[in-house]
Every structure is written in structure tokens, then in C-alpha cells.
Amino acid sequence: SQQGEEDPQALSIQEGENATMNCSYKTSINNLQWYRQNSGRGLVHLILIRSNEREKHSGRLRVTLDTSKKSSSLLITASRAADTASYFCATDSGNTPLVFGKGTRLSVIA
Amino acid sequence: DTGVSQDPRHKITKRGQNVTFRCDPISEHNRLYWYRQTLGQGPEFLTYFQNEAQLEKSRLLSDRFSAERPKGSFSTLEIQRTEQGDSAMYLCASSVDPSGGYTFGSGTRLTVV
């Protein structure tokens, strides 16, 4: 089963614009993570936010978490063509394996 | 270690044949996970190990699937009597902290014809 649902399913933007992807989940979580996957490759860990945190930054990435709404957002600022990939949120509920959403396919057009 | 290694990268097999995949995790990572991913979907959890102990198996893991991690190092995932519905990308990941980030391998793409 998949816990998270990303929105939108697909997003196409121009290089330099910001990209925002949202994730909603169903049950209480311990941590929420975001991963990137280039076509046909494995996933790359981007950022982890704990349930007691509200916002986290890493380079051009900004993640927010609203546990009352069971939602998170990933913002990529000043996007580049190399950011073209699928982005997944994943959650754990303590000592449990990550459960992934279906992902958002981001296309950044040069 | 340069990361998580999976072998083979691609496997084409005939329906009914058995296949085995291998995963070599990052050596200091004691947790190892197997996921399956089909086109347009997110990874779906199959099973995971802490050291050599298999701690959880998904309902997706039918009795045709078996995974091992002898000596807590590399892991193998075997699928017996493959079916066309088994066609997918099989991803392996490892982590040192159960609540930390995972390092994924590049996956094994299985095509059952």
C-alpha cells in the first residue's frame, strides 16, 4: 500500500522558475523524507524532516511539514534542467520501513 | 564502498523460470530493504533485514519470493516460477539508522516474457 500521495502527478516549468510539489499522507508519522529519481535509476535521498519540525532547508530545497493536515511540500527554487526527475515523498512511523507515494514527474524546460 | 550495488542491471526471463538478484549494501549499514517499482508508480516495500534477520515481509511477497541475507552482508532475492506480473524494477536500499535516509542501488529491471 502507498501512504503518501503527491500532487501534482506531473509538473512542467521553465528553467529558473520555482517548482512546488505536495505530499499528503494518512497515518501518524515519525519522519517524512523526499527522494529524487532520474529515469530508470535508483532513488536519491534529498531531505528528511522529523515530525516535530515544521520547515527545513537544503541548498535550493525547502521542505515544510504540517502534521495537523498530514501534508508536506517540497519547493525547488531557481530550477535547472538537471532537476528534471520524479520526486517521491516517503514516511515512516517509527521503526518501520519507508512507505512511498506515487511521485510527481517534474520537467524543467531550458 | 561507493554505494549500493545491484546485479544484474537487467534480466529478461521466460515465464516459469526462476531468477535471483543480488544486492551489496554499504558495508556499515545494518539495514537492507527490497522494494519493487512498476512504471509510473512509487516503490512498494517487499521485505527488510536487520543484519541477517528478516524482520518484515509485505503481503506482496508471495510464497514464490524468498530473500536472504547470510552473514548480514549481501542479500539475494529469488523469484520462483516467474509470471508476467513480476515484471518490474527491483530496488535494494540500505541504511544505518532505521529513521534515517536510505541509499538506493540502481535497481534490477526484470522483464518476464
Side-chain angles (χ1 to χ4, degrees):
Chain A
S1 64
Q2 305 205 271
Q3 153 90 300
E5 288 287 336
E6 288 88 342
D7 171 61
Q9 289 187 341
L11 179 61
S12 183
I13 59 173
Q14 296 289 323
E15 203 167 32
E17 293 180 339
N18 296 342
T20 299
M21 289 159 269
N22 302 296
C23 167
S24 59
Y25 55 90
K26 299 172 186 173
T27 61
S28 296
I29 63 167
N30 193 40
N31 300 303
L32 185 143
Q33 303 182 34
W34 285 90
Y35 287 78
R36 183 188 73 221
Q37 184 179 35
N38 291 89
S39 181
R41 306 292 294 180
L43 284 78
V44 174
H45 178 256
L46 295 176
I47 198 164
L48 179 153
I49 187 165
R50 304 197 185 281
S51 60
N52 61 356
E53 297 176 314
R54 292 295 166 259
E55 188 170 315
K56 207 160 183 180
H57 298 255
S58 177
R60 293 184 297 113
L61 305 181
R62 173 178 170 255
V63 169
T64 62
L65 178 64
D66 187 336
T67 53
S68 67
K69 295 181 180 178
K70 293 187 169 58
S71 68
S72 173
S73 67
L74 171 67
L75 168 67
I76 304 174
T77 60
S79 63
R80 306 165 182 168
D83 295 328
T84 295
S86 291
Y87 292 82
F88 297 91
C89 69
T91 59
D92 75 83
S93 302
N95 196 24
T96 60
L98 288 177
V99 179
F100 287 83
K102 294 184 179 181
T104 292
R105 294 188 307 281
L106 174 66
S107 297
V108 181
I109 303 165
Chain B
D1 284 322
T2 56
V4 177
S5 299
Q6 291 190 246
D7 183 68
R9 289 294 310 278
H10 304 275
K11 179 71 177 178
I12 300 174
T13 191
K14 291 184 178 180
R15 191 174 51 186
Q17 297 293 305
N18 299 344
V19 294
T20 300
F21 310 140
R22 176 179 170 125
C23 172
D24 287 89
I26 294 174
S27 59
E28 57 266 30
H29 287 186
N30 57 16
R31 287 211 168 189
L32 185 149
Y33 310 85
W34 285 100
Y35 285 80
R36 182 174 71 186
Q37 186 179 27
T38 54
L39 196 63
Q41 300 294 313
E44 293 179 298
F45 169 73
L46 293 178
T47 188
Y48 85 101
F49 295 82
Q50 177 150 325
N51 300 313
E52 66 275 10
Q54 188 173 18
L55 295 188
E56 188 175 336
K57 291 193 291 186
S58 162
R59 287 173 294 176
L60 292 175
L61 215 65
S62 74
D63 56 5
R64 296 185 298 105
F65 288 70
S66 62
E68 295 182 341
R69 192 183 183 195
K71 303 177 184 177
S73 55
F74 70 92
S75 176
T76 58
L77 178 68
E78 181 183 17
I79 309 174
Q80 297 183 326
R81 305 181 302 281
T82 52
E83 302 172 354
Q84 286 190 320
D86 297 331
S87 294
M89 175 80 88
Y90 289 84
L91 295 164
C92 175
S94 66
S95 72
V96 63
D97 178 349
S99 294
Y102 292 7
T103 302
F104 277 84
S106 295
T108 293
R109 181 168 297 283
L110 173 68
T111 303
V112 181
V113 297

